[in-house]
Amino acid sequence: MMTKQPLISFKNVSKIYNNGTVGLKKVNLDIFQGEFVVIVGLSGAGKSTLLRTINKMHNITDGDITINGESITPLKGKKLCKLRSCIGMIFQNFNLVKRSSVLRNVLIGRVGYYPTWKSVLGIFSPEDKKKAATALQRVNLAEKIYARADELSGGQQQRVAIARVFMQNPKIILADEPVASLDPLTTNAIMDDLKNLNREFKMTVIVNLHSVPLALKYADRIIGLRAGELVYDKTITEVSEQDFKTIYQEEGAIR
Amino acid sequence: MNEIPKRTIIQKYHVRGILITVILSLLLIFSSIMTGVDWSEFFSNLGQFFALLGRMANPDWQYLNVVVQPIIETIQMALLGTTIGTAVAIPFAFLAARNLVKSLLVRGVTRFVLNLVRTLPDLLLAALFVAIVGIGPTAGVWTLAIFSFGMISKLFYETVETIEKGPIEALRAAGANKIQIIVFAVIPQVINNFISYFLYTFEINVRASTVLGYLGAGGIGVFLQRSLSSFRYDQTAVIIIAILIVVVIIDSLSNTLRERLL
Ligand SMILES: Nc1ncnc2c1ncn2[C@@H]1O[C@H](COP(=O)(O)OP(=O)(O)O)[C@@H](O)[C@H]1O
Ligand SMILES: [Mg+2]
């Protein structure tokens, strides 16, 4: 019988950093189209590393990662840019260009789709400008379109980052602790924005989170990492709060 | 037990600071002895200095008409030289920046070239270009261009290395290539510093170009040299005053602009 093909597939993936630190250890993982996956684990467990291997911001040292059945390991140059342009990424520190306008920051999500000379001259199509306005409306920042990014609060900056990702029209969204530097109220707004992209556009969302309650509230599926190893993987209906004790156990306590 | 940790003897008596001061003073004294700087001669010649000053006290104001054109030429030389130097320096600065270029080889070679260029004294350059392209402002422009290139490229790549790396990461993750990363993430972060350094270098070049003329590299310096060698100190006085005024105006203009920028 044919099983559904996973969108992203990790096959025995290991990542050892140049300095010898183990980032990931023999990770096997299938993620399917349209899932909202939350990755939890202690700080240093390898969550960021895992996320960044999917868009090759980090290269793996062993194993293979496929997206839609195609290995991404050999991708380089233009092909790599093409892959990245359809994977959105959200960061803990928003990573906006602070001195540029909100509009320009949102359009940045589109540069991967333009020839170099056009983007460099700032020639964006009318449709893309319209789409940028729509993206900002979605996150309730329509009136800030010409503001400078550093005039916005942290929560607003993260929403601009979400608009930037929306511009990419991504199949996959990777969010690395998107709410770690935000207050609880803004946290829910940001998580809702991500959930909406997941529901409305069937975008596959993978989020690293520190907070278990937040993971329980938003995830379809929770994955646990400990010291680079995948130690937990359950859909939200199977999860019990007890489980988190093992994920958050100190490394020393297991041995 | 909440005591402040004890300082070591070396820390307590500022041994290092005192040692450095003593060594530097000794070096200063030795070098003045070895180069044969004769302080008594310096002071006995003060009289001659004041005599010269006296002869300059009656500036030949008519000469101002002659001086205006070469002063403008000096400013133009400085502007052109700074602009050419900066234009060439920009790509080199990006190639030399650690946070943009991962390849040690590319960075190493670029920095080696930049260091080499910076070791060339501007007067040597001027003499060289006068010999190559002949007496005139062209030699001055090339000298200033190369001098600016050396200075600007270093100031620029050091600026590039201080920028936030978050935006670069975001651009990279969105599939941008190197050039797009530079245009969208790097330039907005450094442009104000770049303009500020450009103005600063222009300021220095205006001052430097007055001296370069001395070697025949065009501008007001040529007239300065001519007046001095013909003992027309009344004209020298006019030239010096004119240079001072221009330098003060350009300095304050560029300072005001730079303060606004940063
Ligand atoms: N660039 C790097 N070079 C070397 N070691 C790294 C680097 N990035 C992360 N690490 C190490 O890899 C391990 C996993 O890090 P990370 O993926 O950032 O964990 P998390 O995101 O779960 O906190 C940690 O021990 C960390 O110190
Ligand atoms: Mg992390």
Side-chain angles (χ1 to χ4, degrees):
Chain A
M1 194 188 88
M2 280 277 288
T3 47
K4 206 169 124 198
Q5 193 197 32
L7 177 64
I8 306 166
S9 180
F10 284 68
K11 296 184 184 102
N12 253 318
V13 170
S14 295
K15 159 81 185 172
I16 299 165
Y17 284 101
N18 286 338
N19 63 4
T21 314
V22 177
L24 294 175
K25 212 190 280 175
K26 293 207 178 342
V27 171
N28 283 293
L29 172 65
D30 285 341
I31 292 170
F32 294 89
Q33 154 77 37
E35 279 188 307
F36 195 108
V37 181
V38 171
I39 304 173
V40 295
L42 287 168
S43 162
K47 305 184 294 297
S48 299
T49 309
L50 182 94
L51 223 54
R52 282 171 168 72
T53 56
I54 297 174
N55 57 355
K56 286 200 72 176
M57 297 293 277
H58 283 329
N59 286 319
I60 57 177
T61 36
D62 203 18
D64 195 19
I65 299 176
T66 60
I67 294 182
N68 272 332
E70 268 185 65
S71 171
I72 61 166
T73 314
L75 294 185
K76 262 196 221 145
K78 272 208 167 128
K79 282 193 177 147
L80 178 57
C81 285
K82 196 151 178 236
L83 169 82
R84 283 176 177 163
S85 60
C86 53
I87 301 179
M89 191 159 200
I90 305 266
F91 306 85
Q92 178 178 344
N93 300 316
F94 329 131
N95 290 357
L96 300 188
V97 184
K98 298 233 178 67
R99 290 182 175 211
S100 296
S101 70
V102 167
L103 174 63
R104 196 165 163 89
N105 268 289
V106 175
L107 285 170
I108 278 173
R110 208 67 203 158
V111 296
Y113 290 87
Y114 277 83
T116 309
W117 68 271
K118 253 192 182 173
S119 63
V120 162
L121 294 177
I123 304 173
F124 290 97
S125 71
E127 298 90 78
D128 279 343
K129 282 183 200 154
K130 214 178 283 169
K131 191 176 163 86
T134 313
L136 284 168
Q137 261 161 21
R138 285 184 59 86
V139 293
N140 288 327
L141 285 174
E143 78 283 10
K144 298 281 186 196
I145 187 161
Y146 297 117
R148 239 171 71 151
D150 56 5
E151 292 166 7
L152 306 186
S153 70
Q156 289 174 325
Q157 289 193 33
Q158 194 62 298
R159 308 188 83 176
V160 173
I162 288 178
R164 176 176 68 193
V165 158
F166 181 72
M167 276 311 277
Q168 283 179 250
N169 229 348
K171 283 203 281 292
I172 302 165
I173 297 177
L174 310 170
D176 193 3
E177 314 228 7
V179 293
S181 43
L182 301 176
D183 61 78
L185 213 69
T186 330
T187 292
N188 282 318
I190 297 293
M191 291 305 294
D192 286 339
D193 285 337
L194 287 174
K195 193 78 188 178
N196 288 340
L197 289 177
N198 171 249
R199 290 234 178 94
E200 262 181 70
F201 301 95
K202 302 280 175 291
M203 293 174 184
T204 307
V205 179
I206 308 172
V207 190
N208 289 347
L209 284 180
H210 250 102
S211 144
V212 171
L214 219 52
L216 291 172
K217 184 171 170 198
Y218 287 96
D220 295 339
R221 175 182 173 192
I222 295 179
I223 285 165
L225 285 179
R226 197 195 317 127
E229 283 183 280
L230 200 146
V231 293
Y232 186 88
D233 182 359
K234 284 187 184 172
T235 58
I236 194 70
T237 46
E238 306 166 322
V239 170
S240 79
E241 295 224 23
Q242 292 298 317
D243 297 344
F244 293 102
K245 289 219 172 79
T246 47
I247 304 175
Y248 282 103
Q249 216 159 32
E250 293 293 338
E251 224 180 310
I254 321 159
R255 295 218 183 101
Chain B
M1 285 286 284
N2 249 336
E3 276 178 68
I4 301 173
K6 284 234 163 60
R7 289 187 291 187
T8 64
I9 293 181
I10 291 181
Q11 286 171 330
K12 193 168 175 186
Y13 295 102
H14 306 285
V15 170
R16 246 204 304 182
I18 292 172
L19 215 64
I20 289 172
T21 315
V22 168
I23 291 175
L24 282 180
S25 314
L26 284 177
L27 277 175
L28 209 62
I29 292 168
F30 278 127
S31 40
S32 82
I33 290 173
M34 284 173 64
T35 50
V37 174
D38 188 342
W39 291 100
S40 61
E41 193 179 317
F42 176 78
F43 286 110
S44 66
N45 281 347
L46 268 183
Q48 217 176 325
F49 173 71
F50 282 116
L52 194 74
L53 221 55
R55 294 178 62 187
M56 284 170 62
N58 291 310
D60 172 12
W61 293 115
Q62 289 300 312
Y63 196 59
L64 208 54
N65 295 325
V66 184
V67 165
V68 170
Q69 180 51 37
I71 284 254
I72 291 173
E73 188 181 76
T74 299
I75 298 172
Q76 287 168 335
M77 270 165 57
L79 196 59
L80 212 58
T82 317
T83 308
I84 295 171
T86 306
V88 184
I90 288 173
F92 277 86
F94 288 136
L95 283 176
R98 202 177 312 143
N99 49 353
L100 295 187
V101 175
K102 289 279 159 308
S103 157
L104 204 67
L105 184 75
V106 175
R107 259 190 295 133
V109 170
T110 313
R111 286 194 188 196
F112 180 75
V113 172
L114 298 184
N115 286 335
L116 210 65
V117 171
R118 259 200 320 283
T119 57
L120 301 171
D122 46 355
L123 289 181
L124 180 83
L125 283 172
L128 209 68
F129 278 113
V130 168
I132 296 172
V133 302
I135 287 180
T138 314
V141 169
W142 284 119
T143 305
L144 294 175
I146 292 192
F147 172 73
S148 316
F149 169 77
M151 180 159 157
I152 292 259
S153 54
K154 187 175 167 76
L155 290 170
F156 276 18
Y157 82 66
E158 281 175 353
T159 307
V160 171
E161 286 185 346
T162 63
I163 64 171
E164 261 188 274
K165 67 173 182 1
I168 298 178
E169 200 187 9
L171 260 295
R172 215 155 66 86
N177 62 31
K178 280 267 178 223
I179 293 172
Q180 291 170 325
I181 289 174
I182 287 177
V183 170
F184 284 89
V186 181
I187 289 181
Q189 294 193 62
V190 297
I191 185 73
N192 283 6
N193 281 300
F194 276 19
I195 295 173
S196 166
Y197 285 138
F198 173 85
L199 290 169
Y200 178 57
T201 308
F202 173 61
E203 232 178 277
I204 291 177
N205 281 347
V206 170
R207 263 172 278 163
S209 59
T210 59
V211 180
L212 292 184
Y214 231 86
L215 295 166
I220 188 68
V222 178
F223 289 74
L224 187 66
Q225 196 259 354
R226 207 178 285 163
S227 72
L228 278 171
S229 58
S230 57
F231 305 107
R232 289 295 304 269
Y233 295 117
D234 51 341
Q235 294 180 350
T236 311
V238 174
I239 293 172
I240 290 177
I241 290 168
I243 290 175
L244 270 177
I245 291 170
V246 166
V247 168
V248 166
I249 289 174
I250 285 175
D251 275 18
S252 48
L253 263 180
S254 103
N255 277 327
T256 326
L257 272 174
R258 289 169 57 202
E259 266 167 31
R260 290 239 181 109
L261 281 172
L262 300 180

